Amino acid sequence: MGYMATSDKAHSTGAQSATSSMPTNSPAQGTIPLRRATPSNTPGPEQSFYTLVGGSETFEKLSHAFYDRVKDEPLLIQYYDPNDLDGAARRLQLFLEQYWGGPHTYQEERGHPRLRMRHASFRIGIAERDAWLNCMRGAMDAVQLDPEHDRIMWDYMVRAADFLRNVQE
């Protein structure tokens, strides 16, 4: 059974849609909210989320685990060059590192992320969003973040995936 887009760790229930899991204090539709630097229960000086979850090593594992799943997902693999999945994994890694407070290598190499523009040529409907989230949930489960960090990252992934939908269904 595939994962549904929920912010709950019990992903396989299929009870909620991605949009129903959005927090009530989320910003206006069409924007991706800024990340919290630290979980609310973390004492001490503020650290970036990037540092708290293990830095580059964690994001590298996450990106490769994600693309290991994408290569077997027919709805997604059609949008990738199968000979460049390592390149796609690196770009995802660099984007996520920058977003979560790590190095700005993504922007130095590729410019502003402009997620909607970069994804505009791909059909992204509900099925594609859910397939992407299924692959990302599996990758996040493989990386095994602590529950609070997992929740924060998963909430972002759900919002980002829904933000990139460009087909109204």
Side-chain angles (χ1 to χ4, degrees), residues 3-97:
Y3 293 107
M4 292 302 295
T6 69
S7 59
D8 181 8
K9 280 295 273 187
H11 307 290
S12 60
T13 64
Q16 289 183 299
S17 71
T19 55
S20 67
S21 68
M22 292 178 70
T24 56
N25 64 349
S26 66
Q29 190 174 22
T31 63
I32 299 177
L34 296 175
R35 65 223 166 260
R36 285 191 301 182
T38 58
S40 57
N41 63 352
T42 303
E46 190 171 300
Q47 294 181 319
S48 70
F49 189 86
Y50 169 83
T51 300
L52 291 170
V53 299
S56 185
E57 181 180 338
T58 296
F59 289 99
E60 180 178 13
K61 287 178 186 176
L62 177 66
S63 299
H64 283 281
F66 173 75
Y67 280 101
D68 283 346
R69 288 158 176 79
V70 166
K71 70 182 178 190
D72 296 324
E73 174 49 66
L75 281 174
L76 300 180
I77 194 61
Q78 64 182 323
Y79 297 119
Y80 294 95
D81 175 353
N83 298 315
D84 189 35
L85 291 180
D86 286 339
R90 182 176 183 277
R91 291 184 294 276
L92 176 62
Q93 175 188 346
L94 295 178
F95 169 77
L96 292 173
E97 287 178 351

Side-chain angles (χ1 to χ4, degrees), residues 4 31 51 70 74 84 114 121 124 126 136 138 142 153:
M4 292 302 295
T31 63
T51 300
V70 166
D84 189 35
R114 297 185 298 247
S121 64
I124 304 174
I126 292 170
M136 184 54 73
M153 187 179 288

Side-chain angles (χ1 to χ4, degrees), residues 73-141:
E73 174 49 66
L75 281 174
L76 300 180
I77 194 61
Q78 64 182 323
Y79 297 119
Y80 294 95
D81 175 353
N83 298 315
D84 189 35
L85 291 180
D86 286 339
R90 182 176 183 277
R91 291 184 294 276
L92 176 62
Q93 175 188 346
L94 295 178
F95 169 77
L96 292 173
E97 287 178 351
Q98 179 172 311
Y99 180 84
W100 292 106
H104 290 94
T105 310
Y106 182 92
Q107 187 151 342
E108 291 165 6
E109 291 184 6
R110 299 184 52 82
H112 189 280
R114 297 185 298 247
L115 290 179
R116 276 213 163 148
M117 182 200 77
R118 292 183 192 272
H119 292 84
S121 64
F122 308 115
R123 181 197 190 283
I124 304 174
I126 292 170
E128 292 80 9
R129 176 203 62 196
D130 288 349
W132 190 93
L133 286 169
N134 187 42
C135 291
M136 184 54 73
R137 182 69 257 167
M140 287 179 61
D141 288 347

